[in-house]
């Protein structure tokens, strides 16, 4: 029959060997998935860390450029949009909580259309991960290691990403984020407090009068698209213990970065004004470098950069995991770790293509916001949810 079961009732040890799965039940991806579990609040720290890591670095300046001193209102609107999109992704995932996006898309649309949807998401996630690695490497080179080649910085980050995935996959990433997330929030609160003496409240006025509803809504799309990275919940739900209780921590993981982004925009505008704030590539980091408290507390940017590296590491490690796992499912590879090194090589190679930091930020303006945001973050999750509702049943208990 191809299987041998030995059950020691007194010890509670059970081992199943099956020739189809390489001799051990643990090697089958779906059984392995049942072993690796993270709590909903670990997911909260993962999402909080990855959302903050780029949103306050890259979304504040474009919002100020569009909405001027009302950029903080745009970021509030972005938070509402982010909550709506995240809730849709949660509902889709909960209806198919034992399956990843690659699997339940095939259940809903059939094998070939479902695989096409899964493949498009994987390609998109590869491009996003490469762009994040590129921006990270250029940022570190510009502010820390001027003479270090970009490929050296990128390769060190990729090596760390591969290591944490080999060591403990999503469970290890979740535990690391429990350390990096609180550290990042504490660092941000400290910098806000130390920057209070540099604020000029008059720069935030007038409110709404100079802009109007259209620029405010348009300025919200930048941060809303970044908050939409919560769509990766559709790949992570099978790894979450008690997935029916993930609504509160996941939505809270969108609220916290939204509040931080709003406060950052207010701080940047009150410090530099809308004209200068809209021209800064990394406005929050520029604000931190501006801190000088009694000629004693200075150079806070080194501390913030250090913990920011942790948060970017969490983000990239998650992307490497879902890319490797999703690719393995698409190709029918039982051990997803066999794909890990190839996925890391693809991300690393693509990240080295552009030559300057402005070119890297163009990805958000010309690819992420006009195409990925409406299609992959809003459109397809809504379509998956509607098709699931129309079919009138959940696939949670369907045989795999």
């Amino acid at each position: 029959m191809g299987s041998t079961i030995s059950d020691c009732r007194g010890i509670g040890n059970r081992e199943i060997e099956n020739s189809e799965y390489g001799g051990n039940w643990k090697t089958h991806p779906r059984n392995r998935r049942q072993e690796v579990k993270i709590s909903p609040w670990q997911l909260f720290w993962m999402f909080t860390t990855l959302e903050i890591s780029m949103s306050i670095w890259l979304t504040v300046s474009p919002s100020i450029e569009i909405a001027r001193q009302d950029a903080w209102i745009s970021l509030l609107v972005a938070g509402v949009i982010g909550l709506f999109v995240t809730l849709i992704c949660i509902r889709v995932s909960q209806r198919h909580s034992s399956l990843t996006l690659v699997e339940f898309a095939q259940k809903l649309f059939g094998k070939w259309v479902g695989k096409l949807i899964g493949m498009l998401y994987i390609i998109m996630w590869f491009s996003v991960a490469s762009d994040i690695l590129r921006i990270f490497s250029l940022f570190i080179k510009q502010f820390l290691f001027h003479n270090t080649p970009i490929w050296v910085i990128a390769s060190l980050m990729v090596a760390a990403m591969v290591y944490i995935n080999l060591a403990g996959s999503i469970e290890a990433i979740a535990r690391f984020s429990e350390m990096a997330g609180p550290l990042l929030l504490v660092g941000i609160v400290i910098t806000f407090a130390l920057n209070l003496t540099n604020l000029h409240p008059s720069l935030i006025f007038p409110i709404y009068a100079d802009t109007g509803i259209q620029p405010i809504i348009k300025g919200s799309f930048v941060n809303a698209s970044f908050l939409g990275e919560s769509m990766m919940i559709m790949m992570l739900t099978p790894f979450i213990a008690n997935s029916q209780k993930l609504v509160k921590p996941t939505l809270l993981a969108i609220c916290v970065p939204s509040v931080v982004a709003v406060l950052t925009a207010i701080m940047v505008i009150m410090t530099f004004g809308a004209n200068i704030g809209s021209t800064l590539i990394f406005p929050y980091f520029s604000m931190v470098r501006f801190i000088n408290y009694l000629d004693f507390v200075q150079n806070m940017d080194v501390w913030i950069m250090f913990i920011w590296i942790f948060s970017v590491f969490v983000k990239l490690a998650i992307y490497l995991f879902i890319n490797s796992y999703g690719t393995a499912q698409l190709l029918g590879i039982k051990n997803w770790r066999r794909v890990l090194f190839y996925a890391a090589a693809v991300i690393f190679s693509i990240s080295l293509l552009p030559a300057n930091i402005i070119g890297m930020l163009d990805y958000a303006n010309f690819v992420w916001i006009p195409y990925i945001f409406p299609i992959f973050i809003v459109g397809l999750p809504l379509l998956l949810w509607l098709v699931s509702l129309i079919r009138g049943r959940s696939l949670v208990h369907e045989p795999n």
Side-chain angles (χ1 to χ4, degrees):
M1 296 177 63
S3 63
T4 304
I5 302 178
S6 61
D7 191 356
C8 301
R9 299 181 184 273
I11 303 176
N13 178 39
R14 175 174 176 168
E15 182 178 337
I16 303 177
E17 295 181 356
N18 191 302
S19 58
E20 183 184 356
Y21 304 138
N24 195 313
W25 73 285
K26 292 182 180 180
T27 61
H28 189 274
R30 208 166 272 129
N31 289 331
R32 174 62 183 160
R33 197 161 63 203
Q34 297 303 319
E35 283 190 325
V36 179
K37 289 292 184 180
I38 62 176
S39 70
W41 288 105
Q42 284 179 318
L43 182 73
F44 161 78
W45 284 116
M46 286 171 57
F47 274 19
T48 299
T49 304
L50 70 89
E51 296 289 4
I52 291 178
S53 64
M54 285 293 176
S55 62
I56 65 172
W57 249 259
L58 298 179
T59 68
V60 174
S61 180
S63 297
I64 295 176
E65 184 178 2
I66 297 171
R68 309 302 293 171
Q69 67 270 17
D70 292 327
W72 63 275
I73 305 177
S74 293
L75 294 172
L76 275 177
V77 175
V80 175
I81 298 174
L83 287 172
F84 170 75
V85 171
T86 302
L87 185 60
I88 295 298
C89 293
I90 291 172
R91 293 308 185 194
V92 172
S93 301
Q94 286 181 326
R95 291 180 64 84
H96 319 290
S97 60
S98 64
L99 308 174
T100 66
L101 168 66
V102 175
E103 294 171 316
F104 70 69
Q106 296 180 54
K107 291 283 187 180
L108 291 174
F109 293 99
K111 180 179 179 181
W112 297 111
V113 176
K115 279 196 171 186
L116 176 62
I117 292 174
M119 183 182 68
L120 291 175
Y121 267 99
I122 296 300
I123 292 173
M124 179 268 296
W125 280 323
F126 267 113
S127 69
V128 174
S130 301
D131 188 66
I132 294 169
L133 179 61
R134 182 186 306 128
I135 293 174
F136 165 80
S137 303
L138 288 168
F139 180 85
I140 296 299
K141 176 181 174 63
Q142 179 178 343
F143 290 101
L144 285 182
F145 306 114
H146 304 285
N147 298 321
T148 303
I150 292 176
W151 69 267
V152 174
I153 301 172
S155 61
L156 291 175
M157 175 59 81
V158 169
M161 294 155 50
V162 171
Y163 173 77
I164 196 170
N165 274 283
L166 283 176
S169 67
I170 195 67
E171 192 173 9
I173 299 171
R175 291 177 180 177
F176 184 85
S177 66
E178 286 183 294
M179 176 192 72
L183 193 63
L184 180 63
L185 287 178
V186 169
I188 291 172
V189 170
I190 291 174
T191 57
F192 283 171
L194 292 175
N195 193 57
L196 290 176
T197 56
N198 297 324
L199 300 183
H200 305 281
S202 61
L203 294 176
I204 203 76
F205 297 103
I207 296 176
Y208 190 78
D210 290 346
T211 53
I213 188 65
Q214 186 174 351
I216 289 175
I217 297 298
K218 185 178 179 182
S220 69
F221 293 153
V222 183
N223 194 47
S225 64
F226 276 75
L227 294 175
E229 287 183 289
S230 58
M231 63 181 165
M232 63 177 64
I233 189 69
M234 294 187 291
M235 283 294 296
L236 297 177
T237 302
F239 302 93
I240 301 171
N242 200 352
S243 60
Q244 298 306 310
K245 293 186 178 181
L246 59 81
V247 175
K248 181 179 178 180
T250 307
L251 293 183
L252 189 60
I254 301 300
C255 290
V256 172
S258 298
V259 171
V260 171
V262 169
L263 294 177
T264 301
I266 293 173
M267 287 278 185
V268 169
I269 293 169
M270 287 187 177
T271 302
F272 301 109
N275 291 329
I276 297 177
S278 63
T279 62
L280 299 173
I281 298 176
F282 304 106
Y284 170 74
F285 186 73
S286 299
M287 184 188 73
V288 171
R289 300 186 78 179
F290 201 64
I291 293 175
N292 186 347
Y293 192 72
L294 300 177
D295 292 326
F296 177 71
V297 179
Q298 301 180 37
N299 300 322
M300 287 292 296
D301 52 309
V302 177
W303 161 255
I304 290 299
M305 189 180 298
F306 178 72
I307 59 178
W308 179 72
I309 292 173
F310 281 174
S311 63
V312 175
F313 168 64
V314 170
K315 191 185 193 89
L316 287 171
I318 296 173
Y319 270 116
L320 179 59
F321 172 77
I322 62 176
N323 283 331
S324 303
Y325 200 91
T327 302
Q329 289 186 319
L330 281 175
L331 300 178
I333 300 174
K334 294 183 174 64
N335 187 355
W336 68 272
R337 284 185 171 86
R338 294 179 182 175
V339 185
L340 190 62
F341 290 98
Y342 297 103
V346 170
I347 293 172
F348 174 74
S349 301
I350 298 176
S351 72
L352 300 181
L353 292 180
N356 58 74
I357 195 165
I358 302 300
M360 299 309 92
L361 299 179
D362 285 342
Y363 178 87
N365 295 325
F366 299 113
V367 179
W368 180 263
I369 297 174
Y371 297 107
I372 293 179
F373 178 56
I375 297 173
F376 293 93
I377 297 178
V378 179
L380 284 176
L382 269 174
L383 180 62
L384 290 166
W385 183 56
L386 291 174
V387 170
S388 182
L389 290 177
I390 291 171
R391 289 186 58 177
R393 69 177 186 272
S394 170
L395 298 180
V396 174
H397 302 296
E398 283 192 10
N400 296 319

